[in-house]
Amino acid sequence: MGNTEEKKSVNFIESIIEQDIENNKNGGRVHTRFPPEPNGYLHIGHAKSICLNFGLAEQYNGLCNLRFDDTNPEKENDEYVNSIKKDVAWLGFSWEDREYFASDYFDQLYKYAIALIKKGKAYVDDSTPEEINRMRGTTTQPGEESPYRNRSVEENLDLFQKMKEGVFEEGSKILRAKIDMSSPNIHLRDPALYRIKHANHHRTGDEWHIYPMYDWAHGLSDSIEGVTHSICTLEFEVHRPLYDWLLDQLEVFHPQQIEFARLNLSYTVLSKRKLLQLVEEKYVEGWDDPRIPTISGLRRRGYTPAAIKNFAQKIGVAKRDGVVDVALLEFSVREDLNKTANRVMGVLDPLKITLINYPEDKTEMLTAVNNPEDPEAGSREIPFGSEIYIERDDFMEDPPRKFFRLSPGKEVRLKYAYIIKCEEVVKDEAGEVVELKCTYDPETRSGSDTSGKKVKGTLHWAPVKEALKAEVRLYDRLFTVENPSADKEKDFKEFINPDSLVVLPEALLEPSAKNIAVGDRVQFERKGYFCVDRDSSNEKLVFNRTVTLRDTWAKMSKKK
Ligand code: ATP
Ligand code: MG
């Protein structure tokens, strides 16, 4: 339209939508929905779907509904509904007033079923579930018609009404669509539309004794809401003919179903059923355990909405299933936190140093940069005195040649402070190093170094007197193998990483850390990104490690 700007590349869903807009299909309207079943907490796979559906609506000036697909009363509840709303909002998307429930449509869906029966396109089947299963046939063999298939419309209407009123036992009857038992597509072999359940529903209580099946409820809910593009994952591709058939039979508004490949991630599981097992069988602490890929777990772990959205953007949408390396997710959060997280010095496994030539009662304040990536972030002061802590593994008594950290007789720089030299190693009776005696060089103060000295190592540290104690939880991948579900003979839980959580009870931090609040994220210099956990109290700060500074697993798998 008169501008010469290069057209950005679009993915296959965008190209369908753009064509529809061009053809003025649905009056050029774009309306999507995110349709979770409230039977568990959302995971990163759902985040992909959320970013896609809400993202497309934003991009094309459309709308996106939040719809709870609540048709399985035994598995669903309000806790899940609330967690889902919290997670979608946290990601930064708004469904405004369009919060819907499939259960809101139960009356309408029932009326549609009656219309279908009246058309002679649905019937009540008394066959047992086993018989129905057997008569369905296989992928290579056609199915058989049920002996109840040719019931009269009147009889079907009567039986269906009685099903609704709770006259029959669970499993004794179902309502089926009358399509084609010899169709090569099994989903078209007279699929079930309604089953009997005398269950209490989290919203409709005991009102209903029949509940709609997914295929029935889903397409019609899309239609009722005026959804234009019903985007779902690839396994529903084979359901699409049924989706279309039902809407065509009822002659109602007909959304277009579009399928994309679901997200699979290495070193974890993305299935609500498996996540539920991990939670219920207490392999993890709960739905927000920072080791599982639920959105609430990622949030508690320290992930940001921006990191998750960037990740979704990077992986894009495809038509073929694949596995995304979890390292890409970790990269996304590193990339975001590098720009936004303030730096703090925290010693996770402390070793004490006494500077023997520094005045014992003197404290000086040193200036530290809060975030070298963000000039706006300013600076802070850190007290420095004659006693400090460094990381235990930054010292080696008998180091290999390329060890540039501290060892006897060698010099290193303490970040924002001075160059020090290790003069003496103090050990306890067991021979363990308990303290180092060092000298500092007063000429080498950072920012006003006049010594001309060059050292290769710079260490983080914390002052002994003012140090703040904290518990630090080091989280790692929950599974030791890339695909814990690959071996069908084995339970995926056999591959749980026994070291997925290491707790360091007494890390020591620079005192400025006391101003950090629950949910805040910081970089512990040289150690990784950390987030203040909700278990923190006035007495004790608790940090979760979000991610290490570098991908430590990449090196390990290259060695294989
Ligand atoms: P699970 O397989 O984990 O039990 P689900 O598909 O049963 O998930 P729903 O609550 O039905 O969970 O999913 C809501 C929406 O999220 C659906 O549109 C579904 O296609 C999408 N979704 C679920 N898992 C993924 C995934 N791994 N990648 C992308 N989208 C997903
Ligand atoms: Mg589902």
Side-chain angles (χ1 to χ4, degrees):
M1 275 166 267
N3 79 38
T4 48
E5 208 175 285
E6 224 176 284
K7 197 164 165 39
K8 71 172 177 55
S9 76
V10 295
N11 65 43
F12 77 97
I13 300 180
E14 292 167 333
S15 107
I16 293 173
I17 292 179
E18 292 185 6
Q19 208 151 59
D20 288 346
I21 293 174
E22 215 173 288
N23 296 336
N24 202 32
K25 187 175 170 186
N26 305 309
R29 231 165 28 85
V30 174
H31 201 148
T32 57
R33 84 286 173 267
F34 172 63
E37 181 181 354
N39 63 347
Y41 280 58
L42 299 180
H43 53 61
I44 183 76
H46 296 111
K48 173 178 179 178
S49 177
I50 293 168
C51 292
L52 181 61
N53 280 294
F54 281 93
L56 288 168
E58 276 174 15
Q59 199 175 328
Y60 295 106
N61 245 321
L63 299 171
C64 180
N65 296 354
L66 175 62
R67 182 200 317 141
F68 293 95
D69 177 18
D70 56 347
T71 53
N72 278 311
E74 293 103 331
K75 291 184 176 165
E76 300 160 357
N77 65 48
D78 287 340
E79 178 195 341
Y80 296 141
V81 169
N82 293 331
S83 75
I84 289 169
K85 292 202 293 198
K86 179 173 171 182
D87 289 347
V88 176
W90 178 74
L91 283 173
F93 295 110
S94 169
W95 56 95
E96 296 167 323
D97 57 350
R98 296 178 311 282
E99 176 178 319
Y100 301 122
F101 291 83
S103 56
D104 294 340
Y105 310 136
F106 281 176
D107 276 316
Q108 180 67 47
L109 297 176
Y110 180 74
K111 285 181 193 146
Y112 281 138
I114 288 177
L116 203 62
I117 293 173
K118 284 186 176 161
K119 277 191 96 170
K121 296 292 184 183
Y123 63 98
V124 174
D125 194 336
D126 299 2
S127 307
T128 64
E130 294 74 32
E131 286 167 337
I132 289 176
N133 226 346
R134 187 175 49 73
M135 290 192 292
R136 187 169 293 127
T138 64
T139 45
T140 50
Q141 279 191 319
E144 271 171 63
E145 295 192 350
S146 160
Y148 302 95
R149 196 173 196 259
N150 294 311
R151 271 179 163 150
S152 69
V153 168
E154 289 68 37
E155 193 182 1
N156 280 320
L157 286 174
D158 177 57
L159 289 171
F160 186 50
Q161 181 171 349
K162 290 197 171 112
M163 280 170 66
K164 176 187 187 240
E165 285 164 358
V167 173
F168 305 121
E169 275 177 38
E170 287 191 13
S172 64
K173 287 181 172 43
I174 59 169
L175 183 74
R176 301 176 77 171
K178 191 171 176 176
I179 311 180
D180 180 4
M181 289 307 292
S182 59
S183 169
N185 183 336
I186 293 190
H187 297 280
L188 291 179
R189 294 183 190 169
D190 292 9
L193 303 180
Y194 273 95
R195 62 228 192 277
I196 300 172
K197 270 186 198 285
H198 303 296
N200 185 276
H201 185 279
H202 74 118
R203 285 173 68 85
T204 58
D206 295 325
E207 186 187 341
W208 290 86
H209 296 277
I210 51 172
Y211 288 93
M213 301 299 290
Y214 173 85
D215 289 304
W216 178 250
H218 198 80
L220 286 169
S221 302
D222 285 343
S223 172
I224 291 168
E225 292 174 14
V227 165
T228 55
H229 300 86
S230 173
I231 299 163
C232 61
T233 43
L234 230 40
E235 66 272 23
F236 291 100
E237 193 165 17
V238 286
H239 293 239
R240 180 160 22 103
L242 175 57
Y243 184 98
D244 290 336
W245 186 90
L246 291 168
L247 295 172
D248 285 341
Q249 291 301 320
L250 291 164
E251 298 176 67
V252 291
F253 175 73
H254 197 141
Q256 178 180 3
Q257 177 178 306
I258 303 169
E259 309 85 15
F260 71 101
R262 66 192 293 115
L263 169 67
N264 298 303
L265 255 196
S266 61
Y267 293 100
T268 191
V269 291
L270 284 188
S271 136
K272 279 194 262 184
R273 190 178 54 80
K274 287 182 180 150
L275 292 170
L276 182 67
Q277 268 183 57
L278 292 173
V279 172
E280 283 191 334
E281 296 168 26
K282 304 216 176 332
Y283 286 92
V284 296
E285 276 178 37
W287 283 105
D288 70 347
D289 188 297
R291 287 167 294 182
I292 54 175
T294 52
I295 297 179
S296 47
L298 291 169
R299 176 167 57 234
R300 191 170 171 197
R301 176 94 172 233
Y303 274 72
T304 56
I308 293 175
K309 286 185 190 168
N310 289 340
F311 170 70
Q313 194 67 41
K314 279 194 193 98
I315 57 178
V317 288
K319 256 299 192 195
R320 200 136 44 90
D321 277 317
V323 180
V324 172
D325 192 337
V326 71
L328 190 62
L329 179 64
E330 293 164 349
F331 172 81
S332 297
V333 74
R334 233 177 247 131
E335 186 184 41
D336 185 39
L337 293 181
N338 180 43
K339 288 182 283 188
T340 56
N342 280 348
R343 276 54 169 169
V344 160
M345 290 204 285
V347 178
L348 304 188
D349 182 13
L351 173 63
K352 190 177 148 184
I353 287 183
T354 303
L355 298 174
I356 47 183
N357 60 340
Y358 195 93
E360 238 177 275
D361 47 6
K362 179 177 165 185
T363 302
E364 64 185 303
M365 298 307 281
L366 302 173
T367 303
V369 173
N370 284 336
N371 185 352
E373 303 290 322
D374 177 9
E376 306 273 284
S379 61
R380 66 191 186 281
E381 306 264 279
I382 309 174
F384 183 85
S386 62
E387 292 183 321
I388 54 158
Y389 295 110
I390 62 161
E391 209 71 65
R392 184 163 286 277
D393 66 8
D394 279 337
F395 172 78
M396 275 182 97
E397 194 171 13
D398 193 12
R401 237 165 42 88
K402 291 212 160 163
F403 186 80
F404 298 125
R405 292 169 274 166
L406 198 57
S407 55
K410 292 279 159 51
E411 288 188 317
V412 289
R413 174 170 292 284
L414 296 177
K415 186 144 196 186
Y416 301 120
Y418 298 92
I419 291 177
I420 62 166
K421 181 176 181 186
C422 178
E423 309 284 356
E424 188 191 337
V425 180
V426 184
K427 296 181 185 178
D428 64 8
E429 283 145 31
E432 200 179 331
V433 178
V434 289
E435 188 186 336
L436 304 175
K437 299 217 186 277
C438 300
T439 49
Y440 87 111
D441 180 346
E443 307 286 286
T444 59
R445 182 172 156 146
S446 279
S448 53
D449 188 335
T450 53
S451 71
K453 269 188 194 169
K454 288 255 179 314
V455 289
K456 280 203 165 149
T458 300
L459 307 186
H460 63 279
W461 53 274
V464 168
K465 230 184 339 164
E466 298 87 352
L468 211 62
K469 266 189 211 157
E471 177 181 314
V472 172
R473 298 174 183 170
L474 302 179
Y475 293 103
D476 204 343
R477 296 176 182 177
L478 187 56
F479 294 94
T480 54
V481 294
E482 272 183 45
N483 183 356
S485 314
D487 188 343
K488 299 288 173 245
E489 308 282 286
K490 286 195 177 158
D491 186 345
F492 72 101
K493 296 183 301 262
E494 282 179 37
F495 303 105
I496 287 186
N497 175 6
D499 301 319
S500 63
L501 171 59
V502 173
V503 178
L504 304 175
E506 288 232 328
L508 295 162
L509 316 179
E510 58 163 274
S512 75
K514 75 168 179 297
N515 299 321
I516 302 176
V518 171
D520 282 357
R521 304 163 184 98
V522 290
Q523 182 195 97
F524 287 171
E525 301 250 13
R526 300 174 64 228
K527 284 289 159 188
Y529 294 98
F530 292 76
C531 170
V532 182
D533 191 74
R534 59 171 165 77
D535 287 345
S536 294
S537 64
N538 285 338
E539 284 77 56
K540 190 176 72 174
L541 274 170
V542 179
F543 284 87
N544 297 324
R545 181 170 69 194
T546 310
V547 69
T548 51
L549 288 182
R550 265 171 286 282
D551 183 358
T552 49
W553 283 63
K555 259 195 248 149
M556 284 164 52
S557 50
K558 270 199 206 110
K559 277 192 201 142
K560 272 194 288 192

